[in-house]
Amino acid sequence: MRFHDLHHVLTGYRTDLTGEFEISAWEIGAGCGDFHAAWVLNLSGMTGGLLTAPVRTWRAFVRGLDEQSTYGRD
């Protein structure tokens, strides 16, 4: 939870429904480390985003590929 909330601050994605879909896609792209629950939740969020806001969700995913999440960091 703390990593996820920090990612909202660092990336600027909002906390509304579309922003949650975007941050899910970004976290999938950036990686969730060994946090299995994060992978499951983010995959479902990314799926919802691809159905409702496909362009924004895809852009967030691609952005995440070039960045690193804070999952597993001290």
Side-chain angles (χ1 to χ4, degrees):
M1 178 77 153
R2 65 184 167 146
F3 296 116
H4 177 84
D5 292 342
L6 180 59
H7 291 158
H8 275 287
V9 173
L10 295 173
T11 62
Y13 293 122
R14 300 182 315 227
T15 56
D16 62 0
L17 186 58
T18 302
E20 290 297 337
F21 290 154
E22 287 174 310
I23 202 68
S24 291
W26 181 87
E27 287 184 351
I28 292 296
C32 298
D34 292 333
F35 291 80
H36 301 286
W39 284 105
V40 171
L41 292 170
N42 286 326
L43 283 170
S44 64
M46 184 174 173
T47 300
L50 289 171
L51 294 172
T52 60
V55 173
R56 289 176 61 173
T57 302
W58 182 253
R59 285 182 184 158
F61 171 72
V62 171
R63 176 183 172 189
L65 293 174
D66 289 332
E67 299 176 352
Q68 293 181 351
S69 74
T70 62
Y71 283 108
R73 294 180 181 230
D74 293 332

